[in-house]
Amino acid sequence: MNGTTTGLEIRDAISRIRFAPKSNNLLISSWDSSLRLYDAVGSALRLEAPCEAALLDCCFHNDESVAFAAASDGCVRRYDLHSGINDTIGNHDDIATNIGYSDETGQVISAGLDKKILFWDMRMAKAIEYLRNLGAEVDSMSLFGLNFLVAIGSSIHEYDLRKLDKLVQSKESQLNIRIRCVSSIPYSKGYAVGSVDGRVAVEMPYPSNPNDISYMFRCHPKSKDGRYHLASVNDIVFNPLICGAFVTGDNEGYVTAWDARSKRRLFGLPRLPNSVASLSYNHDGQLLAVASSYTYQEAEEIEEPPQVFIYKIDDSCIRSVSAGSSSRN
């Protein structure tokens, strides 16, 4: 499976890449304070919108003409993707680190180093804020439908966006170590989490099946000296159409695909020049975008220029998913 680089000049670390909900436009946020919109099929930069602060996360509005970003000055910014003009819809008391958008509720959801999650209702003429003070910094968060997951330390907190005053459940991860990323499964109420020590835990509940899938594994085998690689798993994304298929990206530059149901490795990409900072599948699961960038996690991290690679998923890769996992139905 061959990848092509976008060739974009990104002047500082990439924080997030996200494909649009219905097209092949790719949103890229960076520590160089610019939000970029890239056409992954036409291989063209559609927009570069600078601001005054480093951007630590980004997401699309569902109609794709608007995007949102979390910034180092605490601002939650809204971007018009036609003009590049941005405005501030609200602020955290410290650096804003995570952001997501729920089409079901019309809410922008942000988290920050102020240990708060803020909910902004975009259906109102003026954004209405709803706040949850968590008392701890959010390490990662993930949205799918009305299900909202928050990773704090080694725990996963689950919320229903219709009932924000009540926590659905709080569960200690199987990993029992700090979670680096959490990713919702788009066809299940399950999720996968990646840890700072190179492990992944998968939780896939099935209402009609008493045998829920729940296990953990290491992304790398032992080395020749018998020791495990302790490379942080920086991101996990599930293929939107191939049930149980997901990819992991780590701090040593490896991207690996897995089948959650058969618990096996599907394929790996050639090692990338930098850490894998972020991953994203397009809407039909045919394209995989990979951000190769330093992440400021380690003092000796490789600092090659940040790049974004686009991979076309081969039919052979799709066929390699175990029988019964090839469709969401």
Side-chain angles (χ1 to χ4, degrees), residues 34-58:
S34 286
L35 186 72
R36 295 171 176 84
L37 185 67
Y38 180 78
D39 179 354
V41 172
S43 301
L45 179 64
R46 292 188 175 276
L47 176 75
E48 182 172 343
C51 73
E52 300 79 27
L55 302 181
L56 276 64
D57 200 356
C58 64

mmCIF file with all atom_site columns, all heavy atoms in Angstrom, residues 34-58:
data_model
loop_
_atom_site.group_PDB
_atom_site.id
_atom_site.type_symbol
_atom_site.label_atom_id
_atom_site.label_alt_id
_atom_site.label_comp_id
_atom_site.label_asym_id
_atom_site.label_entity_id
_atom_site.label_seq_id
_atom_site.pdbx_PDB_ins_code
_atom_site.Cartn_x
_atom_site.Cartn_y
_atom_site.Cartn_z
_atom_site.occupancy
_atom_site.B_iso_or_equiv
_atom_site.pdbx_formal_charge
_atom_site.auth_seq_id
_atom_site.auth_comp_id
_atom_site.auth_asym_id
_atom_site.auth_atom_id
_atom_site.pdbx_PDB_model_num
ATOM 1   N N   . SER A 1 34 ? -1.687  27.902 12.268 1.00 0.00 ? 34 SER A N   1
ATOM 2   C CA  . SER A 1 34 ? -2.525  27.910 11.068 1.00 0.00 ? 34 SER A CA  1
ATOM 3   C C   . SER A 1 34 ? -3.434  26.687 11.008 1.00 0.00 ? 34 SER A C   1
ATOM 4   O O   . SER A 1 34 ? -3.026  25.582 11.375 1.00 0.00 ? 34 SER A O   1
ATOM 5   C CB  . SER A 1 34 ? -1.663  27.940 9.810  1.00 0.00 ? 34 SER A CB  1
ATOM 6   O OG  . SER A 1 34 ? -1.094  29.218 9.607  1.00 0.00 ? 34 SER A OG  1
ATOM 7   N N   . LEU A 1 35 ? -4.652  26.927 10.536 1.00 0.00 ? 35 LEU A N   1
ATOM 8   C CA  . LEU A 1 35 ? -5.579  25.849 10.207 1.00 0.00 ? 35 LEU A CA  1
ATOM 9   C C   . LEU A 1 35 ? -5.585  25.715 8.696  1.00 0.00 ? 35 LEU A C   1
ATOM 10  O O   . LEU A 1 35 ? -5.750  26.707 7.977  1.00 0.00 ? 35 LEU A O   1
ATOM 11  C CB  . LEU A 1 35 ? -6.984  26.174 10.712 1.00 0.00 ? 35 LEU A CB  1
ATOM 12  C CG  . LEU A 1 35 ? -8.021  25.055 10.564 1.00 0.00 ? 35 LEU A CG  1
ATOM 13  C CD1 . LEU A 1 35 ? -7.751  23.938 11.564 1.00 0.00 ? 35 LEU A CD1 1
ATOM 14  C CD2 . LEU A 1 35 ? -9.440  25.598 10.745 1.00 0.00 ? 35 LEU A CD2 1
ATOM 15  N N   . ARG A 1 36 ? -5.390  24.479 8.201  1.00 0.00 ? 36 ARG A N   1
ATOM 16  C CA  . ARG A 1 36 ? -5.328  24.247 6.763  1.00 0.00 ? 36 ARG A CA  1
ATOM 17  C C   . ARG A 1 36 ? -6.436  23.302 6.325  1.00 0.00 ? 36 ARG A C   1
ATOM 18  O O   . ARG A 1 36 ? -6.787  22.364 7.048  1.00 0.00 ? 36 ARG A O   1
ATOM 19  C CB  . ARG A 1 36 ? -3.964  23.662 6.372  1.00 0.00 ? 36 ARG A CB  1
ATOM 20  C CG  . ARG A 1 36 ? -2.800  24.616 6.607  1.00 0.00 ? 36 ARG A CG  1
ATOM 21  C CD  . ARG A 1 36 ? -1.466  23.925 6.413  1.00 0.00 ? 36 ARG A CD  1
ATOM 22  N NE  . ARG A 1 36 ? -0.331  24.846 6.539  1.00 0.00 ? 36 ARG A NE  1
ATOM 23  C CZ  . ARG A 1 36 ? 0.233   25.191 7.694  1.00 0.00 ? 36 ARG A CZ  1
ATOM 24  N NH1 . ARG A 1 36 ? -0.224  24.684 8.837  1.00 0.00 ? 36 ARG A NH1 1
ATOM 25  N NH2 . ARG A 1 36 ? 1.236   26.039 7.723  1.00 0.00 ? 36 ARG A NH2 1
ATOM 26  N N   . LEU A 1 37 ? -6.949  23.540 5.112  1.00 0.00 ? 37 LEU A N   1
ATOM 27  C CA  . LEU A 1 37 ? -7.940  22.666 4.489  1.00 0.00 ? 37 LEU A CA  1
ATOM 28  C C   . LEU A 1 37 ? -7.335  22.140 3.200  1.00 0.00 ? 37 LEU A C   1
ATOM 29  O O   . LEU A 1 37 ? -6.969  22.922 2.317  1.00 0.00 ? 37 LEU A O   1
ATOM 30  C CB  . LEU A 1 37 ? -9.234  23.426 4.201  1.00 0.00 ? 37 LEU A CB  1
ATOM 31  C CG  . LEU A 1 37 ? -10.391 22.593 3.646  1.00 0.00 ? 37 LEU A CG  1
ATOM 32  C CD1 . LEU A 1 37 ? -10.898 21.602 4.699  1.00 0.00 ? 37 LEU A CD1 1
ATOM 33  C CD2 . LEU A 1 37 ? -11.534 23.501 3.176  1.00 0.00 ? 37 LEU A CD2 1
ATOM 34  N N   . TYR A 1 38 ? -7.226  20.812 3.110  1.00 0.00 ? 38 TYR A N   1
ATOM 35  C CA  . TYR A 1 38 ? -6.530  20.183 1.980  1.00 0.00 ? 38 TYR A CA  1
ATOM 36  C C   . TYR A 1 38 ? -7.466  19.215 1.267  1.00 0.00 ? 38 TYR A C   1
ATOM 37  O O   . TYR A 1 38 ? -8.155  18.410 1.911  1.00 0.00 ? 38 TYR A O   1
ATOM 38  C CB  . TYR A 1 38 ? -5.301  19.444 2.493  1.00 0.00 ? 38 TYR A CB  1
ATOM 39  C CG  . TYR A 1 38 ? -4.479  18.745 1.430  1.00 0.00 ? 38 TYR A CG  1
ATOM 40  C CD1 . TYR A 1 38 ? -3.616  19.465 0.614  1.00 0.00 ? 38 TYR A CD1 1
ATOM 41  C CD2 . TYR A 1 38 ? -4.581  17.373 1.244  1.00 0.00 ? 38 TYR A CD2 1
ATOM 42  C CE1 . TYR A 1 38 ? -2.868  18.835 -0.372 1.00 0.00 ? 38 TYR A CE1 1
ATOM 43  C CE2 . TYR A 1 38 ? -3.830  16.721 0.273  1.00 0.00 ? 38 TYR A CE2 1
ATOM 44  C CZ  . TYR A 1 38 ? -2.975  17.461 -0.533 1.00 0.00 ? 38 TYR A CZ  1
ATOM 45  O OH  . TYR A 1 38 ? -2.233  16.808 -1.505 1.00 0.00 ? 38 TYR A OH  1
ATOM 46  N N   . ASP A 1 39 ? -7.499  19.282 -0.057 1.00 0.00 ? 39 ASP A N   1
ATOM 47  C CA  . ASP A 1 39 ? -8.268  18.354 -0.884 1.00 0.00 ? 39 ASP A CA  1
ATOM 48  C C   . ASP A 1 39 ? -7.399  17.125 -1.144 1.00 0.00 ? 39 ASP A C   1
ATOM 49  O O   . ASP A 1 39 ? -6.444  17.185 -1.918 1.00 0.00 ? 39 ASP A O   1
ATOM 50  C CB  . ASP A 1 39 ? -8.654  19.035 -2.201 1.00 0.00 ? 39 ASP A CB  1
ATOM 51  C CG  . ASP A 1 39 ? -9.435  18.120 -3.138 1.00 0.00 ? 39 ASP A CG  1
ATOM 52  O OD1 . ASP A 1 39 ? -9.589  16.925 -2.835 1.00 0.00 ? 39 ASP A OD1 1
ATOM 53  O OD2 . ASP A 1 39 ? -9.881  18.618 -4.188 1.00 0.00 ? 39 ASP A OD2 1
ATOM 54  N N   . ALA A 1 40 ? -7.731  16.002 -0.499 1.00 0.00 ? 40 ALA A N   1
ATOM 55  C CA  . ALA A 1 40 ? -6.886  14.812 -0.572 1.00 0.00 ? 40 ALA A CA  1
ATOM 56  C C   . ALA A 1 40 ? -6.950  14.120 -1.925 1.00 0.00 ? 40 ALA A C   1
ATOM 57  O O   . ALA A 1 40 ? -6.023  13.391 -2.287 1.00 0.00 ? 40 ALA A O   1
ATOM 58  C CB  . ALA A 1 40 ? -7.280  13.822 0.527  1.00 0.00 ? 40 ALA A CB  1
ATOM 59  N N   . VAL A 1 41 ? -8.015  14.321 -2.674 1.00 0.00 ? 41 VAL A N   1
ATOM 60  C CA  . VAL A 1 41 ? -8.122  13.708 -4.007 1.00 0.00 ? 41 VAL A CA  1
ATOM 61  C C   . VAL A 1 41 ? -7.535  14.633 -5.065 1.00 0.00 ? 41 VAL A C   1
ATOM 62  O O   . VAL A 1 41 ? -6.785  14.209 -5.945 1.00 0.00 ? 41 VAL A O   1
ATOM 63  C CB  . VAL A 1 41 ? -9.589  13.363 -4.336 1.00 0.00 ? 41 VAL A CB  1
ATOM 64  C CG1 . VAL A 1 41 ? -9.725  12.910 -5.782 1.00 0.00 ? 41 VAL A CG1 1
ATOM 65  C CG2 . VAL A 1 41 ? -10.099 12.267 -3.398 1.00 0.00 ? 41 VAL A CG2 1
ATOM 66  N N   . GLY A 1 42 ? -7.845  15.915 -4.992 1.00 0.00 ? 42 GLY A N   1
ATOM 67  C CA  . GLY A 1 42 ? -7.305  16.875 -5.952 1.00 0.00 ? 42 GLY A CA  1
ATOM 68  C C   . GLY A 1 42 ? -5.891  17.322 -5.630 1.00 0.00 ? 42 GLY A C   1
ATOM 69  O O   . GLY A 1 42 ? -5.281  18.059 -6.407 1.00 0.00 ? 42 GLY A O   1
ATOM 70  N N   . SER A 1 43 ? -5.363  16.886 -4.499 1.00 0.00 ? 43 SER A N   1
ATOM 71  C CA  . SER A 1 43 ? -4.002  17.247 -4.055 1.00 0.00 ? 43 SER A CA  1
ATOM 72  C C   . SER A 1 43 ? -3.780  18.754 -4.095 1.00 0.00 ? 43 SER A C   1
ATOM 73  O O   . SER A 1 43 ? -2.817  19.249 -4.682 1.00 0.00 ? 43 SER A O   1
ATOM 74  C CB  . SER A 1 43 ? -2.953  16.532 -4.926 1.00 0.00 ? 43 SER A CB  1
ATOM 75  O OG  . SER A 1 43 ? -3.117  15.135 -4.841 1.00 0.00 ? 43 SER A OG  1
ATOM 76  N N   . ALA A 1 44 ? -4.695  19.470 -3.426 1.00 0.00 ? 44 ALA A N   1
ATOM 77  C CA  . ALA A 1 44 ? -4.611  20.935 -3.462 1.00 0.00 ? 44 ALA A CA  1
ATOM 78  C C   . ALA A 1 44 ? -4.920  21.508 -2.087 1.00 0.00 ? 44 ALA A C   1
ATOM 79  O O   . ALA A 1 44 ? -5.818  21.041 -1.387 1.00 0.00 ? 44 ALA A O   1
ATOM 80  C CB  . ALA A 1 44 ? -5.594  21.489 -4.490 1.00 0.00 ? 44 ALA A CB  1
ATOM 81  N N   . LEU A 1 45 ? -4.152  22.532 -1.720 1.00 0.00 ? 45 LEU A N   1
ATOM 82  C CA  . LEU A 1 45 ? -4.427  23.269 -0.496 1.00 0.00 ? 45 LEU A CA  1
ATOM 83  C C   . LEU A 1 45 ? -5.559  24.249 -0.791 1.00 0.00 ? 45 LEU A C   1
ATOM 84  O O   . LEU A 1 45 ? -5.410  25.158 -1.603 1.00 0.00 ? 45 LEU A O   1
ATOM 85  C CB  . LEU A 1 45 ? -3.174  24.025 -0.034 1.00 0.00 ? 45 LEU A CB  1
ATOM 86  C CG  . LEU A 1 45 ? -3.326  24.866 1.243  1.00 0.00 ? 45 LEU A CG  1
ATOM 87  C CD1 . LEU A 1 45 ? -3.634  23.983 2.448  1.00 0.00 ? 45 LEU A CD1 1
ATOM 88  C CD2 . LEU A 1 45 ? -2.065  25.692 1.476  1.00 0.00 ? 45 LEU A CD2 1
ATOM 89  N N   . ARG A 1 46 ? -6.685  24.082 -0.155 1.00 0.00 ? 46 ARG A N   1
ATOM 90  C CA  . ARG A 1 46 ? -7.845  24.937 -0.404 1.00 0.00 ? 46 ARG A CA  1
ATOM 91  C C   . ARG A 1 46 ? -7.836  26.198 0.462  1.00 0.00 ? 46 ARG A C   1
ATOM 92  O O   . ARG A 1 46 ? -8.347  27.248 0.058  1.00 0.00 ? 46 ARG A O   1
ATOM 93  C CB  . ARG A 1 46 ? -9.143  24.162 -0.152 1.00 0.00 ? 46 ARG A CB  1
ATOM 94  C CG  . ARG A 1 46 ? -9.401  23.054 -1.168 1.00 0.00 ? 46 ARG A CG  1
ATOM 95  C CD  . ARG A 1 46 ? -10.789 22.473 -0.978 1.00 0.00 ? 46 ARG A CD  1
ATOM 96  N NE  . ARG A 1 46 ? -11.105 21.493 -1.999 1.00 0.00 ? 46 ARG A NE  1
ATOM 97  C CZ  . ARG A 1 46 ? -11.588 21.775 -3.200 1.00 0.00 ? 46 ARG A CZ  1
ATOM 98  N NH1 . ARG A 1 46 ? -11.776 23.042 -3.538 1.00 0.00 ? 46 ARG A NH1 1
ATOM 99  N NH2 . ARG A 1 46 ? -11.857 20.816 -4.054 1.00 0.00 ? 46 ARG A NH2 1
ATOM 100 N N   . LEU A 1 47 ? -7.261  26.084 1.671  1.00 0.00 ? 47 LEU A N   1
ATOM 101 C CA  . LEU A 1 47 ? -7.307  27.212 2.584  1.00 0.00 ? 47 LEU A CA  1
ATOM 102 C C   . LEU A 1 47 ? -6.180  27.107 3.602  1.00 0.00 ? 47 LEU A C   1
ATOM 103 O O   . LEU A 1 47 ? -5.855  26.014 4.064  1.00 0.00 ? 47 LEU A O   1
ATOM 104 C CB  . LEU A 1 47 ? -8.656  27.212 3.335  1.00 0.00 ? 47 LEU A CB  1
ATOM 105 C CG  . LEU A 1 47 ? -8.847  28.283 4.413  1.00 0.00 ? 47 LEU A CG  1
ATOM 106 C CD1 . LEU A 1 47 ? -9.101  29.645 3.776  1.00 0.00 ? 47 LEU A CD1 1
ATOM 107 C CD2 . LEU A 1 47 ? -10.013 27.920 5.332  1.00 0.00 ? 47 LEU A CD2 1
ATOM 108 N N   . GLU A 1 48 ? -5.576  28.237 3.933  1.00 0.00 ? 48 GLU A N   1
ATOM 109 C CA  . GLU A 1 48 ? -4.670  28.329 5.071  1.00 0.00 ? 48 GLU A CA  1
ATOM 110 C C   . GLU A 1 48 ? -5.063  29.566 5.860  1.00 0.00 ? 48 GLU A C   1
ATOM 111 O O   . GLU A 1 48 ? -4.976  30.689 5.355  1.00 0.00 ? 48 GLU A O   1
ATOM 112 C CB  . GLU A 1 48 ? -3.209  28.420 4.640  1.00 0.00 ? 48 GLU A CB  1
ATOM 113 C CG  . GLU A 1 48 ? -2.255  28.473 5.827  1.00 0.00 ? 48 GLU A CG  1
ATOM 114 C CD  . GLU A 1 48 ? -0.788  28.374 5.428  1.00 0.00 ? 48 GLU A CD  1
ATOM 115 O OE1 . GLU A 1 48 ? -0.496  27.949 4.284  1.00 0.00 ? 48 GLU A OE1 1
ATOM 116 O OE2 . GLU A 1 48 ? 0.082   28.721 6.259  1.00 0.00 ? 48 GLU A OE2 1
ATOM 117 N N   . ALA A 1 49 ? -5.539  29.344 7.096  1.00 0.00 ? 49 ALA A N   1
ATOM 118 C CA  . ALA A 1 49 ? -6.058  30.439 7.902  1.00 0.00 ? 49 ALA A CA  1
ATOM 119 C C   . ALA A 1 49 ? -5.226  30.595 9.166  1.00 0.00 ? 49 ALA A C   1
ATOM 120 O O   . ALA A 1 49 ? -5.298  29.769 10.077 1.00 0.00 ? 49 ALA A O   1
ATOM 121 C CB  . ALA A 1 49 ? -7.520  30.167 8.272  1.00 0.00 ? 49 ALA A CB  1
ATOM 122 N N   . PRO A 1 50 ? -4.401  31.646 9.250  1.00 0.00 ? 50 PRO A N   1
ATOM 123 C CA  . PRO A 1 50 ? -3.567  31.863 10.437 1.00 0.00 ? 50 PRO A CA  1
ATOM 124 C C   . PRO A 1 50 ? -4.359  32.516 11.565 1.00 0.00 ? 50 PRO A C   1
ATOM 125 O O   . PRO A 1 50 ? -5.399  33.154 11.345 1.00 0.00 ? 50 PRO A O   1
ATOM 126 C CB  . PRO A 1 50 ? -2.479  32.811 9.922  1.00 0.00 ? 50 PRO A CB  1
ATOM 127 C CG  . PRO A 1 50 ? -3.151  33.568 8.820  1.00 0.00 ? 50 PRO A CG  1
ATOM 128 C CD  . PRO A 1 50 ? -4.143  32.638 8.195  1.00 0.00 ? 50 PRO A CD  1
ATOM 129 N N   . CYS A 1 51 ? -3.845  32.354 12.793 1.00 0.00 ? 51 CYS A N   1
ATOM 130 C CA  . CYS A 1 51 ? -4.405  33.082 13.939 1.00 0.00 ? 51 CYS A CA  1
ATOM 131 C C   . CYS A 1 51 ? -3.256  33.442 14.874 1.00 0.00 ? 51 CYS A C   1
ATOM 132 O O   . CYS A 1 51 ? -2.087  33.339 14.495 1.00 0.00 ? 51 CYS A O   1
ATOM 133 C CB  . CYS A 1 51 ? -5.494  32.268 14.647 1.00 0.00 ? 51 CYS A CB  1
ATOM 134 S SG  . CYS A 1 51 ? -4.878  30.882 15.620 1.00 0.00 ? 51 CYS A SG  1
ATOM 135 N N   . GLU A 1 52 ? -3.572  33.836 16.105 1.00 0.00 ? 52 GLU A N   1
ATOM 136 C CA  . GLU A 1 52 ? -2.544  34.366 17.002 1.00 0.00 ? 52 GLU A CA  1
ATOM 137 C C   . GLU A 1 52 ? -1.966  33.319 17.945 1.00 0.00 ? 52 GLU A C   1
ATOM 138 O O   . GLU A 1 52 ? -1.062  33.620 18.721 1.00 0.00 ? 52 GLU A O   1
ATOM 139 C CB  . GLU A 1 52 ? -3.123  35.521 17.842 1.00 0.00 ? 52 GLU A CB  1
ATOM 140 C CG  . GLU A 1 52 ? -3.638  36.703 17.042 1.00 0.00 ? 52 GLU A CG  1
ATOM 141 C CD  . GLU A 1 52 ? -5.014  36.449 16.454 1.00 0.00 ? 52 GLU A CD  1
ATOM 142 O OE1 . GLU A 1 52 ? -5.772  35.651 17.034 1.00 0.00 ? 52 GLU A OE1 1
ATOM 143 O OE2 . GLU A 1 52 ? -5.302  37.032 15.399 1.00 0.00 ? 52 GLU A OE2 1
ATOM 144 N N   . ALA A 1 53 ? -2.484  32.098 17.947 1.00 0.00 ? 53 ALA A N   1
ATOM 145 C CA  . ALA A 1 53 ? -2.063  31.099 18.934 1.00 0.00 ? 53 ALA A CA  1
ATOM 146 C C   . ALA A 1 53 ? -1.894  29.732 18.282 1.00 0.00 ? 53 ALA A C   1
ATOM 147 O O   . ALA A 1 53 ? -2.469  29.455 17.221 1.00 0.00 ? 53 ALA A O   1
ATOM 148 C CB  . ALA A 1 53 ? -3.096  31.017 20.061 1.00 0.00 ? 53 ALA A CB  1
ATOM 149 N N   . ALA A 1 54 ? -1.082  28.893 18.916 1.00 0.00 ? 54 ALA A N   1
ATOM 150 C CA  . ALA A 1 54 ? -0.922  27.515 18.434 1.00 0.00 ? 54 ALA A CA  1
ATOM 151 C C   . ALA A 1 54 ? -2.250  26.781 18.520 1.00 0.00 ? 54 ALA A C   1
ATOM 152 O O   . ALA A 1 54 ? -3.011  26.966 19.476 1.00 0.00 ? 54 ALA A O   1
ATOM 153 C CB  . ALA A 1 54 ? 0.131   26.803 19.284 1.00 0.00 ? 54 ALA A CB  1
ATOM 154 N N   . LEU A 1 55 ? -2.530  25.936 17.508 1.00 0.00 ? 55 LEU A N   1
ATOM 155 C CA  . LEU A 1 55 ? -3.774  25.173 17.469 1.00 0.00 ? 55 LEU A CA  1
ATOM 156 C C   . LEU A 1 55 ? -3.497  23.738 17.886 1.00 0.00 ? 55 LEU A C   1
ATOM 157 O O   . LEU A 1 55 ? -2.660  23.059 17.290 1.00 0.00 ? 55 LEU A O   1
ATOM 158 C CB  . LEU A 1 55 ? -4.376  25.217 16.071 1.00 0.00 ? 55 LEU A CB  1
ATOM 159 C CG  . LEU A 1 55 ? -4.686  26.610 15.520 1.00 0.00 ? 55 LEU A CG  1
ATOM 160 C CD1 . LEU A 1 55 ? -5.311  26.515 14.137 1.00 0.00 ? 55 LEU A CD1 1
ATOM 161 C CD2 . LEU A 1 55 ? -5.587  27.397 16.477 1.00 0.00 ? 55 LEU A CD2 1
ATOM 162 N N   . LEU A 1 56 ? -4.198  23.268 18.910 1.00 0.00 ? 56 LEU A N   1
ATOM 163 C CA  . LEU A 1 56 ? -3.925  21.959 19.487 1.00 0.00 ? 56 LEU A CA  1
ATOM 164 C C   . LEU A 1 56 ? -4.920  20.883 19.079 1.00 0.00 ? 56 LEU A C   1
ATOM 165 O O   . LEU A 1 56 ? -4.718  19.699 19.348 1.00 0.00 ? 56 LEU A O   1
ATOM 166 C CB  . LEU A 1 56 ? -3.882  22.062 21.019 1.00 0.00 ? 56 LEU A CB  1
ATOM 167 C CG  . LEU A 1 56 ? -2.536  22.513 21.607 1.00 0.00 ? 56 LEU A CG  1
ATOM 168 C CD1 . LEU A 1 56 ? -2.172  23.922 21.194 1.00 0.00 ? 56 LEU A CD1 1
ATOM 169 C CD2 . LEU A 1 56 ? -2.549  22.414 23.118 1.00 0.00 ? 56 LEU A CD2 1
ATOM 170 N N   . ASP A 1 57 ? -6.015  21.277 18.445 1.00 0.00 ? 57 ASP A N   1
ATOM 171 C CA  . ASP A 1 57 ? -7.005  20.299 17.980 1.00 0.00 ? 57 ASP A CA  1
ATOM 172 C C   . ASP A 1 57 ? -7.939  21.005 17.022 1.00 0.00 ? 57 ASP A C   1
ATOM 173 O O   . ASP A 1 57 ? -8.025  22.248 17.009 1.00 0.00 ? 57 ASP A O   1
ATOM 174 C CB  . ASP A 1 57 ? -7.787  19.713 19.162 1.00 0.00 ? 57 ASP A CB  1
ATOM 175 C CG  . ASP A 1 57 ? -8.468  18.387 18.832 1.00 0.00 ? 57 ASP A CG  1
ATOM 176 O OD1 . ASP A 1 57 ? -8.393  17.946 17.662 1.00 0.00 ? 57 ASP A OD1 1
ATOM 177 O OD2 . ASP A 1 57 ? -9.080  17.786 19.744 1.00 0.00 ? 57 ASP A OD2 1
ATOM 178 N N   . CYS A 1 58 ? -8.674  20.230 16.213 1.00 0.00 ? 58 CYS A N   1
ATOM 179 C CA  . CYS A 1 58 ? -9.615  20.815 15.261 1.00 0.00 ? 58 CYS A CA  1
ATOM 180 C C   . CYS A 1 58 ? -10.701 19.809 14.926 1.00 0.00 ? 58 CYS A C   1
ATOM 181 O O   . CYS A 1 58 ? -10.552 18.603 15.158 1.00 0.00 ? 58 CYS A O   1
ATOM 182 C CB  . CYS A 1 58 ? -8.898  21.262 13.984 1.00 0.00 ? 58 CYS A CB  1
ATOM 183 S SG  . CYS A 1 58 ? -8.142  19.898 13.046 1.00 0.00 ? 58 CYS A SG  1
#
